[in-house]
Coordinates of all heavy atoms in Angstrom, one line a residue:
L34 N 27.0 55.6 5.7 CA 27.1 54.2 5.7 C 27.1 53.7 4.3 O 26.3 54.2 3.4 CB 25.9 53.5 6.5 CG 25.8 53.8 8.0 CD1 24.6 53.2 8.6 CD2 27.1 53.3 8.7
V35 N 27.9 52.7 4.0 CA 28.1 52.2 2.6 C 27.7 50.7 2.5 O 28.3 49.9 3.2 CB 29.6 52.4 2.1 CG1 29.7 51.9 0.7 CG2 30.0 53.9 2.2
G36 N 26.7 50.4 1.7 CA 26.4 49.0 1.4 C 27.0 48.5 0.1 O 27.9 49.1 -0.4
Q37 N 26.4 47.5 -0.4 CA 26.9 46.9 -1.7 C 26.4 47.7 -2.9 O 27.1 47.7 -3.9 CB 26.5 45.4 -1.8 CG 27.0 44.6 -0.6 CD 28.5 44.7 -0.4 OE1 29.3 44.4 -1.3 NE2 28.9 45.2 0.8
S38 N 25.2 48.3 -2.8 CA 24.7 49.0 -3.9 C 24.0 50.3 -3.5 O 23.4 51.0 -4.3 CB 23.7 48.2 -4.8 OG 22.6 47.8 -4.0
K39 N 23.9 50.6 -2.2 CA 23.3 51.7 -1.6 C 24.2 52.4 -0.7 O 25.1 51.8 0.0 CB 22.0 51.3 -0.9 CG 20.9 50.7 -1.8 CD 19.7 50.3 -0.9 CE 18.7 49.5 -1.7 NZ 18.1 50.4 -2.8
V40 N 23.9 53.7 -0.5 CA 24.7 54.6 0.5 C 23.7 55.4 1.2 O 22.7 55.9 0.7 CB 25.7 55.5 -0.3 CG1 26.4 56.4 0.7 CG2 26.7 54.7 -1.1
W41 N 23.9 55.5 2.6 CA 23.1 56.3 3.4 C 23.9 57.4 4.1 O 25.0 57.2 4.6 CB 22.5 55.4 4.5 CG 21.5 54.4 4.0 CD1 20.2 54.4 3.8 CD2 21.9 53.0 3.6 NE1 19.7 53.3 3.4 CE2 20.7 52.4 3.2 CE3 23.1 52.3 3.5 CZ2 20.7 51.1 2.7 CZ3 23.1 51.0 3.1 CH2 21.9 50.4 2.7
K42 N 23.3 58.6 4.1 CA 23.9 59.8 4.8 C 22.9 60.2 5.8 O 21.8 60.6 5.5 CB 24.2 60.9 3.8 CG 24.7 62.2 4.4 CD 26.1 62.1 4.8 CE 26.7 63.5 5.0 NZ 26.0 64.3 6.0
A43 N 23.4 60.2 7.1 CA 22.5 60.6 8.2 C 21.2 59.8 8.2 O 20.1 60.3 8.5 CB 22.2 62.1 8.2
G44 N 21.3 58.5 7.8 CA 20.2 57.6 7.8 C 19.3 57.7 6.6 O 18.4 56.9 6.5
R45 N 19.6 58.6 5.6 CA 18.8 58.7 4.4 C 19.5 58.2 3.2 O 20.7 58.5 3.1 CB 18.4 60.2 4.2 CG 17.4 60.7 5.3 CD 17.0 62.1 4.9 NE 16.1 62.7 5.9 CZ 15.5 63.9 5.9 NH1 15.9 64.7 4.8 NH2 14.7 64.3 6.8
E46 N 18.9 57.5 2.4 CA 19.5 56.9 1.2 C 19.9 58.0 0.2 O 19.1 58.9 -0.1 CB 18.6 55.8 0.5 CG 19.3 55.1 -0.6 CD 18.4 54.0 -1.2 OE1 17.4 53.6 -0.6 OE2 18.8 53.6 -2.4
T47 N 21.1 58.0 -0.3 CA 21.5 58.9 -1.3 C 21.3 58.4 -2.7 O 20.8 57.2 -2.9 CB 23.0 59.3 -1.1 OG1 23.8 58.1 -1.4 CG2 23.3 59.8 0.3
V48 N 21.6 59.2 -3.7 CA 21.5 58.7 -5.1 C 22.8 58.2 -5.6 O 23.8 58.9 -5.6 CB 21.0 59.9 -6.0 CG1 20.9 59.5 -7.5 CG2 19.6 60.4 -5.5
T49 N 22.8 57.0 -6.1 CA 24.0 56.3 -6.5 C 24.0 56.0 -8.0 O 25.0 55.7 -8.6 CB 24.3 55.1 -5.7 OG1 23.2 54.2 -5.8 CG2 24.6 55.4 -4.3
E50 N 22.8 55.9 -8.6 CA 22.7 55.6 -10.0 C 23.3 56.7 -10.9 O 23.3 57.8 -10.6 CB 21.3 55.2 -10.5 CG 20.3 56.4 -10.4 CD 19.5 56.4 -9.2 OE1 19.9 55.8 -8.2 OE2 18.4 56.9 -9.2
T51 N 23.7 56.3 -12.1 CA 24.2 57.2 -13.1 C 23.3 57.4 -14.3 O 22.8 58.5 -14.6 CB 25.6 56.7 -13.5 OG1 25.6 55.4 -14.0 CG2 26.6 56.8 -12.4
Y52 N 23.1 56.3 -15.0 CA 22.3 56.4 -16.3 C 20.9 56.9 -16.0 O 20.3 57.6 -16.8 CB 22.2 55.0 -17.0 CG 23.5 54.7 -17.7 CD1 24.5 53.9 -17.1 CD2 23.8 55.2 -19.0 CE1 25.7 53.6 -17.7 CE2 25.0 54.9 -19.6 CZ 25.9 54.1 -19.0 OH 27.1 53.8 -19.6
N53 N 20.3 56.5 -14.9 CA 18.9 56.9 -14.6 C 18.7 58.4 -14.3 O 17.6 58.8 -14.1 CB 18.4 56.0 -13.4 CG 18.2 54.6 -13.8 OD1 18.1 54.3 -14.9 ND2 18.1 53.7 -12.7
L54 N 19.9 59.1 -14.1 CA 19.8 60.5 -13.9 C 19.4 61.3 -15.2 O 19.0 62.4 -15.2 CB 21.1 61.1 -13.4 CG 21.5 60.7 -12.0 CD1 22.9 61.1 -11.7 CD2 20.5 61.2 -11.0
Y55 N 19.5 60.6 -16.4 CA 19.3 61.2 -17.6 C 18.1 60.7 -18.4 O 17.8 59.5 -18.2 CB 20.5 61.0 -18.5 CG 21.8 61.7 -17.9 CD1 22.6 61.1 -17.0 CD2 22.1 63.0 -18.3 CE1 23.7 61.7 -16.5 CE2 23.2 63.7 -17.7 CZ 24.0 63.0 -16.8 OH 25.1 63.6 -16.2
P56 N 17.4 61.5 -19.1 CA 16.3 61.0 -20.0 C 16.8 59.9 -20.9 O 18.0 59.8 -21.1 CB 15.8 62.2 -20.8 CG 16.2 63.4 -19.9 CD 17.5 63.0 -19.2
Q57 N 15.9 59.1 -21.4 CA 16.3 57.8 -22.1 C 17.4 58.0 -23.1 O 18.3 57.2 -23.1 CB 15.0 57.2 -22.7 CG 15.3 55.9 -23.3 CD 14.0 55.2 -23.8 OE1 12.9 55.8 -23.8 NE2 14.1 54.0 -24.3
D58 N 17.3 59.0 -24.0 CA 18.3 59.1 -25.1 C 19.1 60.4 -24.9 O 19.7 60.8 -25.9 CB 17.6 59.0 -26.5 CG 16.6 60.1 -26.7 OD1 16.2 60.8 -25.7 OD2 16.1 60.2 -27.8
A59 N 19.1 61.0 -23.8 CA 19.7 62.3 -23.6 C 21.2 62.3 -23.7 O 21.8 63.3 -24.0 CB 19.3 62.9 -22.3
L60 N 21.8 61.2 -23.3 CA 23.3 61.1 -23.4 C 23.8 61.3 -24.8 O 25.0 61.7 -25.0 CB 23.8 59.8 -22.8 CG 23.6 59.6 -21.3 CD1 23.9 58.2 -20.8 CD2 24.5 60.6 -20.5
S61 N 23.0 61.0 -25.8 CA 23.4 61.2 -27.2 C 23.7 62.7 -27.5 O 24.6 63.0 -28.4 CB 22.4 60.7 -28.1 OG 22.1 59.3 -28.0
V62 N 23.1 63.6 -26.8 CA 23.3 65.0 -27.1 C 24.7 65.5 -26.7 O 25.1 66.6 -27.1 CB 22.2 65.9 -26.4 CG1 20.8 65.4 -26.8 CG2 22.4 66.0 -24.9

Side-chain angles (χ1 to χ4, degrees):
L34 298 176
V35 180
Q37 302 306 300
S38 63
K39 298 179 185 294
V40 176
W41 295 267
K42 174 73 162 57
R45 296 184 177 181
E46 185 177 344
T47 64
V48 176
T49 57
E50 66 259 27
T51 52
Y52 285 98
N53 289 341
L54 291 174
Y55 296 88
Q57 186 173 4
D58 58 353
L60 288 172
S61 298
V62 306

